[in-house]
């Protein structure tokens, strides 16, 4: 049980209970829905981009502790970052989540999720909000992002 | 009374070194296989593996005899009039689809109604949505009550002369509720509707008499009753099988083929195109023999009593909510619950760390989720190798989880 | 060169006390299973039997991983672009029916043509007869020559702008003929038709590259390539799978279900409704591994050479007539023949008395029977565990039979 | 191989090579077709019934040695017998063919087929012509008799 406790450490439990940037955002903004067909959980992500920078970001939705914490930490880490940089972080995050390899400098607080790769069926939980973000950054807002 | 520890020793999976403390509570999804089933498969592949219905040689005749003897055994097990009523499929889902294609598409027209319930498994729902779409028929739902039972108070509203087919689950795979199918069948027949029963859960532990029930179709899966994966059964009344068009077509289901047209083989072969799932059917025969040797009534009694114990113990866990299983309800073997506001997948993940296997999710019953306004539940489902200690392990692990998460 | 005696020792059935002198020559019907396949099934049922795609617990994840890894392995084995192109079915027959229901019924209209050949197995014929009937399309046949090959001299007559689908067998299960499918696929694509290849026989011994062939669909069965019964594959191009309607519907193939309608899961899952044939898929993976370890080219070389030997020896039997296998023809592994005017079933019965298993009958190819104006043949079909001694036993027993019967 | 040789003894081989009453019969007569779906073999049986007696009987068709011999011997044994008696012989023959038990007095020459029960997949061959006859005697001529 230790590996799991480690994963669900205080930070995740905290973000699960009090997710940051957890609200609907007023227009004008981009928004898109993310869907995990394995469990049926959904979230909606809102992003305001100004001068190629993620000026504001928020989300709502239901999901497991991992998906909620992952979305919450994502909003904290991405807010204020240039779009290009956000895309690089997405790549690094995906690598970490699937392989466990951490690139400390760039991932910051996201590192608390590095243990997820040991639980293959939960990888989709952690990456759901990120796929949704990616959809928006790639200008595909409005479509539903799926973790499949 | 059945001794689950003795029974457990017959299931090789529990003596595997990595599984010695496995508490398997995902039985509504699939069950473990007793030694006799695994051995029967071995025996087939290692002694008389051959195609059926064709070969004029020793092992081919042996394979055919074994294969066909299972048809007889199943007819006896569910009290069908004849082995002609037994069609082999790959599972409940295919059995239901067979009826949706071969019976419903032929017999339904715009204005007709198909009646299902809000507690159907997707496999007894989506095929009817599609059949309704394609024939212009309308799909109607018998609602469920907060207690997780069918609300039959307004049945006349749903069941009327337009109703051509009633498709209902015998026992719910999410709530454990056993539906009063005999009553519904009789009422449906009064208005001239046919009735299909999804028996995937019920047949695994309770004795079935299709002749007495008088249902028109009954569908179930082998893998949920200790048989191999990849085999299921469709029981149907003989006149229906005779009237129905074939479903899959190809080798073995024809009487003759010319370049212009073909004529069909007799029932049930008309519905078994291509090389059948020979080993799986033979393995299912061994599973049913195991059930008969154990005694279906003893199995039912044991599971019902263990379910009661489990419910009492689970209710003692702080913040745990069980769906269905009201005090007066007829329900058993399957228990769905939520643990405070902890997401079911998180709960299942923590249970897994204690080597306790449950399911989390919508259990292929999204309309039930809608009803309770939830997106998923944790489901523990019991079978004959589950012990009172398994229940204690479950409850203990749930308690640890809630302590950790709050 | 492959040593069939060494290989034979890997097949438990031949060491069974009743089968020590079994000459199994009904391989086109179904093949025997090597130790690794039987063990893999045992291993699944005894160590990690669980449903796939759902369980958040150790054995469920292991089962899912093994199941999905076979999809990848098969994609590699046939050189498909991705594992998304691989749909699991219960056999060739279901694979073809899937296309007949989900593709043909959606895409064919009156006036359209489906082109098949006179040497199709019923499983690649009857589904098209029914699809033609239901859509108003016309079924046309490429004829075969006396030598048992496709007569492509008038191909333009059959293949034209009305042709929407060409469905042909890669290798005939009665004549052994290997058809020039690459050429036909290219010509069919020129007129805008899709092509389905029935590879049930071909894939068992020869290397396949669906990407290079550029076929739209390719169907085959596990049990004919040393895998378990009850599992098959449909390969299809990704755009086709995406456009096609679902076939079987139910659990696991949906993204979401509401009371009104459902949305489909991504490919290939959209086509895999219900609990899949998990053990059988995993067993098929072991069979393909066995083929890869043996070497598909070595298998092909061995079978081709043994077929040549068999034909030469059989031709020495008085009154024996072989169908097809003309001197210039591309044919292997399957040999159909008749022995003077002795009925094939009588021949097969006498061979069985010497423990030699062959098939007698129309082999699900009644149009071929019509062509040769016969009602059945004796068929000997070879696989990697057949030895030159097997051929001698066959020839000897045939000789005894003709002496006795005349 | 001995059991089989015994079955295919001279009598069967003889009837197979020179089947008796093997011809189409002129009208007026009853005729019906028998079909064995396992192998695709067919035969047509012709019967003339006069005063409840099988006055004449013949057959044509293709089939294996067992089916041909069985039909040939059947025509010999049935010709001239009252319909009722023919029906009894049918029952006895069917019992013999499926169980091997022989009722000597009533079966006569048909006894050469008593070994068929040891070869379950050939029972249908031996009984094909009999099912066809039964169809005619039961006044169902014209329909196809199947061994299924
Ligand atoms: C060429 C061919 N096509 C199709 C089939 C049907 O395969 P299955 O019976 O496994 O569905 C067979 C085997 O019988 C075959 O040989
Ligand atoms: C009530 C019910 N119906 C249908 C099914 C579908 O059965 P299968 O997946 O074996 O086709 C299940 C099992 O998942 C079930 O519980
Ligand atoms: S379980 Fe649904 S997102 Fe994690
Ligand atoms: S094999 Fe056809 S009747 Fe005997």
């Amino acid at each position: 049980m230790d590996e799991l406790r480690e994963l669900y450490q205080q930070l995740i439990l905290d973000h699960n209970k009090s997710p940051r940037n957890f609200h609907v955002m007023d227009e004008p903004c981009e928004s898109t829905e993310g869907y995990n067909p394995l469990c049926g959980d959904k979230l909606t992500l809102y992003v305001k981009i100004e001068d190629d920078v993620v000026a504001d970001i928020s989300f709502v939705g239901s999901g497991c502790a991992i998906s909620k914490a992952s979305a919450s930490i994502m909003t904290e880490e991405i807010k204020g970052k240039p779009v290009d940089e956000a895309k690089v972080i997405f790549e690094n995050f995906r690598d970490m989540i699937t392989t466990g390899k951490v690139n400390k400098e760039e991932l910051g607080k996201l590192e608390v999720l590095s243990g997820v790769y040991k639980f293959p069926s939960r990888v989709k939980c952690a990456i759901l909000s990120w796929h949704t973000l990616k959809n928006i950054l790639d200008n595909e807002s409005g479509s539903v992002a799926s973790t499949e | 009374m059945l001794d689950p520890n003795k029974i457990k020793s017959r299931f090789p999976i529990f003596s595997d070194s990595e599984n010695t403390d496995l508490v398997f509570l995902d039985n509504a999804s699939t069950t473990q296989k007793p030694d006799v089933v695994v051995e029967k498969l071995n025996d087939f592949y290692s002694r008389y593996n051959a195609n059926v219905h064709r070969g004029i040689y020793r092992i081919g005749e042996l394979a055919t005899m074994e294969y066909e003897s299972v048809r007889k055994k199943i007819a006896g097990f569910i009290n069908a009039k004849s082995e002609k009523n037994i069609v082999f499929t790959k599972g409940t889902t295919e059995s239901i689809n067979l009826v949706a294609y071969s019976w419903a598409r032929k017999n339904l027209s715009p204005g007709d109604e198909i009646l299902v319930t809000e507690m159907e498994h997707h496999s007894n729902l989506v095929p009817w949505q599609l059949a309704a779409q394609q024939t212009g028929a309308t799909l109607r739902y018998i609602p469920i009550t907060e207690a997780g039972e069918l609300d039959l108070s307004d049945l006349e509203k749903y069941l009327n002369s337009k109703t051509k087919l009633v498709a209902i689950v015998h026992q719910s795979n999410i709530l454990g509720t056993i539906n009063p199918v005999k009553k519904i069948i009789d009422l449906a027949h009064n208005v001239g509707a046919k009735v299909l029963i999804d028996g995937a859960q019920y047949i695994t532990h309770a004795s079935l008499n299709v002749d007495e029930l008088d249902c028109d179709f009954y569908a179930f899966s082998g893998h949920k009753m200790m048989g191999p994966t990849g085999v299921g059964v469709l029981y149907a009344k003989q006149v229906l099988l005779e009237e129905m068009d074939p479903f899959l077509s190809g080798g073995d289901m024809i009487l003759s083929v010319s370049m212009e047209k073909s004529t069909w083989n007799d029932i049930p072969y008309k519905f078994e195109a291509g090389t059948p799932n020979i080993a799986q059917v033979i393995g299912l025969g061994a599973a049913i023999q195991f059930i008969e040797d154990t005694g279906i009534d003893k199995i039912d009694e044991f599971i019902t009593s263990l379910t009661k114990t489990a419910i009492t113990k689970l209710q003692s866990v702080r913040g745990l909510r069980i769906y269905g299983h009201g005090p007066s309800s007829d329900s058993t073997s399957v228990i769905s619950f939520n643990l405070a506001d902890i997401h079911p997948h998180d709960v299942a993940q923590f249970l897994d760390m204690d080597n306790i296997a449950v399911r989390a999710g919508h259990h292929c019953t999204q309309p039930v989720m809608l009803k309770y306004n939830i997106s998923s539940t944790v489901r523990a489902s019991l079978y004959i190798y589950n012990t009172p200690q398994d229940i204690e392990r479950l409850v203990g692990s749930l308690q640890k989880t809630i302590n950790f998460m709050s």
Side-chain angles (χ1 to χ4, degrees), chain A, chain B:
Chain A
M1 189 118 180
D2 286 352
E3 280 188 338
L4 193 65
R5 280 177 188 277
E6 213 174 276
L7 174 60
Y8 283 82
Q9 53 186 282
Q10 285 321 318
L11 197 55
I12 289 187
L13 290 186
D14 173 39
H15 277 270
N16 176 42
K17 275 204 201 113
S18 345
R20 320 300 194 262
N21 303 303
F22 189 69
H23 56 80
V24 175
M25 193 185 294
D26 289 341
E27 304 270 349
C29 69
E30 314 275 342
S31 82
T32 200
E33 210 174 72
Y35 180 62
N36 183 348
L38 277 185
C39 56
D41 287 323
K42 276 183 202 144
L43 62 77
T44 308
L45 191 69
Y46 303 90
V47 179
K48 221 170 250 165
I49 295 177
E50 284 163 9
D51 300 329
D52 282 334
V53 164
V54 180
D56 200 5
I57 177 166
S58 72
F59 77 107
V60 295
S62 68
C64 62
I66 294 176
S67 74
K68 247 170 154 176
S70 176
S72 171
I73 302 173
M74 178 186 86
T75 59
E76 285 197 320
E77 286 292 313
I78 291 297
K79 200 189 282 192
K81 292 254 161 74
V83 167
D84 283 352
E85 204 175 308
K87 287 185 182 173
V88 173
I89 300 180
F90 168 79
E91 302 290 344
N92 288 336
F93 181 78
R94 194 183 52 194
D95 287 353
M96 177 185 82
I97 251 0
T98 49
T99 66
K101 265 174 238 132
V102 183
N103 186 332
K104 287 214 180 193
E105 281 155 77
E106 298 180 33
L107 285 163
K109 242 200 269 178
L110 297 167
E111 205 192 320
V112 297
L113 289 158
S114 64
V116 171
Y117 84 100
K118 288 181 204 142
F119 304 91
S121 61
R122 307 309 294 281
V123 167
K124 290 189 175 175
C125 303
I127 213 156
L128 176 59
S129 56
W130 287 88
H131 269 295
T132 318
L133 174 65
K134 187 72 171 20
N135 255 21
I136 293 188
L137 299 185
D138 291 350
N139 279 315
E140 297 183 10
S141 71
S143 66
V144 175
S146 161
T147 53
E148 284 292 312
Chain B
M1 186 74 152
L2 185 153
D3 175 356
N5 281 307
K6 217 169 185 171
I7 295 230
K8 200 166 185 166
S9 71
R10 299 288 303 276
F11 289 74
I13 198 164
F14 297 113
S15 27
D16 180 72
S17 62
E18 296 204 70
N19 294 329
T20 45
D21 72 340
L22 172 63
V23 173
F24 189 76
L25 295 172
D26 193 18
N27 293 292
S29 179
T30 201
T31 52
Q32 298 307 330
K33 319 306 172 201
D35 47 16
V36 284
V37 169
V38 182
E39 282 156 19
K40 191 79 185 178
L41 293 172
N42 269 342
D43 190 48
F44 169 73
Y45 286 125
S46 311
R47 286 209 308 119
Y48 58 98
N49 170 71
N51 217 320
V52 292
H53 299 150
R54 302 166 178 179
I56 306 201
Y57 49 84
R58 197 184 66 80
I59 59 174
E61 283 173 359
L62 192 51
T64 304
M65 214 190 64
E66 289 275 348
Y67 176 82
E68 288 300 331
S69 77
V70 177
R71 209 188 292 277
K72 265 220 169 75
K73 182 186 280 298
I74 289 174
F77 184 65
I78 67 174
N79 203 36
K81 284 208 169 65
S82 147
E83 68 270 21
K84 285 190 191 169
N85 301 114
I86 307 300
V87 177
F88 289 121
T89 64
K90 62 178 172 180
T92 307
T93 302
E94 191 192 358
S95 297
I96 295 172
N97 275 271
L98 196 166
V99 180
Y101 275 102
S102 292
W103 186 87
R105 281 177 178 61
K106 187 174 180 170
N107 288 285
L108 297 183
S109 335
D112 289 345
E113 294 182 0
I114 307 171
L115 183 58
V116 297
T117 82
E118 278 182 8
M119 65 166 87
E120 296 313 315
H121 187 279
H122 292 164
S123 290
N124 198 27
L125 180 48
V126 187
W128 307 121
Q129 287 185 337
L130 290 177
Q133 251 174 46
Q134 286 179 22
T135 60
T138 306
L139 191 60
R140 303 195 64 181
Y141 289 83
I142 301 179
I144 56 176
T145 65
E146 188 68 20
E149 294 172 74
L150 291 185
D151 180 354
L152 298 177
S153 55
D154 274 342
L155 194 56
E156 321 81 65
K157 219 174 84 189
Y158 303 107
L159 189 60
N160 56 58
S161 62
K162 289 192 240 159
T163 315
K164 290 294 174 301
L165 178 74
V166 180
I168 42 176
V169 69
H170 203 159
Q171 177 180 20
S172 162
N173 68 302
I174 168 147
L175 299 164
T177 315
I178 295 174
N179 291 317
V181 292
K182 177 65 185 151
K183 180 177 156 188
I184 297 173
I185 291 167
D186 289 345
L187 291 171
H189 285 169
N190 282 347
V191 300
K194 304 284 178 244
V195 183
L196 177 143
I197 307 287
D198 171 357
Q201 295 300 332
Y202 185 83
I203 198 172
T204 65
H205 62 81
S207 95
L208 176 68
N209 187 324
V210 288
D211 201 42
E212 217 170 84
L213 269 188
D214 199 29
C215 54
D216 299 285
F217 302 102
Y218 198 97
F220 57 97
S221 297
H223 70 97
K224 292 186 199 280
M225 53 197 296
M226 301 184 276
T229 60
V231 59
V233 169
L234 175 68
Y235 158 86
K237 286 188 180 160
Q238 182 160 348
V239 296
L240 293 171
L241 286 179
E242 268 158 8
E243 288 166 10
M244 279 157 66
D245 287 332
F247 174 40
L248 301 184
S249 59
D252 234 34
M253 55 69 74
I254 54 94
L255 264 191
S256 74
V257 173
S258 74
M259 312 243 285
E260 292 73 37
K261 71 191 268 293
S262 305
T263 57
W264 314 133
N265 203 340
D266 294 324
I267 64 161
Y269 306 108
K270 180 167 93 177
F271 297 101
E272 294 178 5
T275 302
N277 34 8
I278 308 170
Q280 292 74 48
V281 165
I282 292 174
L284 176 56
I288 289 176
Q289 190 59 53
F290 187 82
I291 290 178
E292 289 182 333
D293 292 347
T294 311
I296 186 81
D297 290 331
K298 278 197 186 152
I299 292 176
D300 203 19
E301 182 198 22
F302 168 76
I303 290 178
T304 301
S305 138
L306 191 64
T307 307
K308 286 216 181 85
T309 311
I311 287 180
T312 312
K313 298 249 156 127
L314 284 169
Q315 278 164 340
S316 74
V317 178
R318 172 166 52 101
L320 189 144
R321 174 182 175 186
I322 292 173
Y323 299 95
H325 288 280
S328 68
S329 99
D330 187 5
S331 53
T332 185
S333 69
V334 180
I335 309 169
S336 267
F337 60 86
N338 267 309
L339 189 59
D341 58 354
I342 311 177
H343 191 284
H345 278 76
D346 293 320
V347 176
Q349 191 81 61
F350 275 92
L351 294 178
D352 176 46
M353 283 293 133
D354 285 340
N355 221 352
I356 300 168
V358 297
R359 269 263 317 266
H362 54 60
H363 315 291
C364 297
T365 56
Q366 291 192 350
V368 176
M369 298 298 105
L370 226 68
K371 175 79 191 179
Y372 289 111
N373 197 18
I374 49 182
S375 72
S376 52
T377 72
V378 181
R379 182 184 72 183
S381 48
L382 310 176
Y383 209 49
I384 50 174
Y385 34 68
N386 289 127
T387 61
Q389 299 89 293
D390 287 355
I391 306 297
E392 264 155 41
R393 293 262 309 277
L394 169 67
V395 168
S397 191
L398 286 170
Q399 240 134 15
K400 264 194 340 201
T401 303
I402 199 161
N403 291 342
F404 178 77
M405 292 289 284
S406 51

